[in-house]
Amino acid sequence: MSLMRLAYASEATFEAKPAEKGVEPNVARILMTSRRNNGKCLLVGGLYYGDNRFFQYLEGDEKDVLETYRRIQSDSRHKNIVTLIEEPLEARTFENWSMKYVPLSSDVHRFLKKHGLSRFDPASFSSTQCEEMIQLIRSSSQDLKLVNHDEDGTFEAKSQVLSTGLRNGLIAAALFLVGALFVAGSML
């Protein structure tokens, strides 16, 4: 099995709709499908969508990366697709992500400002800017509600972040259960 990495830029063919839960609805559907499909063949990577443009990074088995990229190239939601990086890879760098999504963030704004860019146009990125964007996606922690860690045992698993309501509900249920057991035990 030979590993490879691939990054591409594309323009969205859809007109952006108001974001639901922080993600444009068409992008949310792409993420759900990507996470499901990528998890099956152990592809990993990240996605950024801004200014109606995509930057996506993939890594995994060469056959699977290329097959996924062919599907993307025929996906009607993408146009003007440009391959930015396509090369062999010695070891994975996104081991816990079937598809990490980075929402519009201050990190991306700083990246654009640093390079004197007025808008997000990854098709015009230099190789250095591509590498910086990959590192930005890899290190971003602003996607806590939208991340999906692969926990099928294939990759090292990380615990998922629980919402405050769910965490509080579980704590309350546990306290109730302990209290009920204590009361039942004292009645015996």
Side-chain angles (χ1 to χ4, degrees):
M1 172 171 90
S2 60
L3 293 175
M4 75 171 297
R5 70 187 198 136
L6 185 141
Y8 75 88
S10 69
E11 293 177 40
T13 59
F14 52 84
E15 189 172 323
K17 297 177 182 161
E20 297 172 10
K21 298 181 183 177
V23 182
E24 197 283 336
N26 289 293
V27 176
R29 284 189 285 283
I30 289 170
L31 284 169
M32 288 183 350
T33 302
S34 295
R35 289 172 176 171
R36 183 180 58 246
N37 292 340
N38 293 355
K40 291 176 187 174
C41 60
L42 307 180
L43 286 182
V44 293
L47 175 72
Y48 179 80
Y49 169 79
D51 292 327
N52 215 40
R53 288 171 169 73
F54 291 99
F55 177 92
Q56 186 169 10
Y57 175 77
L58 298 166
E59 57 185 49
D61 183 67
E62 180 179 8
K63 176 183 132 313
D64 296 324
V65 170
L66 294 174
E67 183 178 308
T68 298
Y69 191 44
R70 280 190 290 277
R71 271 196 319 269
I72 291 166
Q73 290 173 314
S74 64
D75 187 322
S76 63
R77 296 171 292 191
H78 296 272
K79 67 179 181 181
N80 300 327
I81 300 171
V82 176
T83 304
L84 303 170
I85 297 171
E86 184 177 346
E87 61 190 24
L89 183 67
E90 289 188 29
R92 295 177 187 269
T93 64
F94 275 81
E95 291 196 21
N96 295 313
W97 300 98
S98 60
M99 187 48 57
K100 183 176 184 181
Y101 176 68
V102 178
L104 190 60
S105 70
S106 57
D107 293 339
V108 175
H109 287 294
R110 277 193 297 279
F111 169 83
L112 295 174
K113 186 175 180 179
K114 173 185 173 183
H115 293 286
L117 303 171
S118 60
R119 59 187 287 199
F120 186 71
D121 184 12
S124 67
F125 284 0
S126 68
S127 61
T128 301
Q129 290 168 327
C130 285
E131 295 298 338
E132 283 182 45
M133 190 67 196
I134 293 166
Q135 181 56 35
L136 186 150
I137 292 171
R138 185 182 295 121
S139 63
S140 176
S141 62
Q142 297 199 16
D143 186 29
L144 297 178
K145 293 183 181 170
L146 299 169
V147 299
N148 76 318
H149 302 283
D150 295 315
E151 297 186 324
D152 62 2
T154 307
F155 297 115
E156 176 186 333
K158 288 186 177 180
S159 62
Q160 291 193 8
V161 177
L162 296 176
S163 71
T164 303
L166 181 58
R167 185 180 66 239
N168 291 341
L170 289 172
I171 291 170
L175 290 174
F176 177 77
L177 183 60
V178 169
L181 289 172
F182 179 75
V183 169
S186 65
M187 296 173 104
L188 295 175

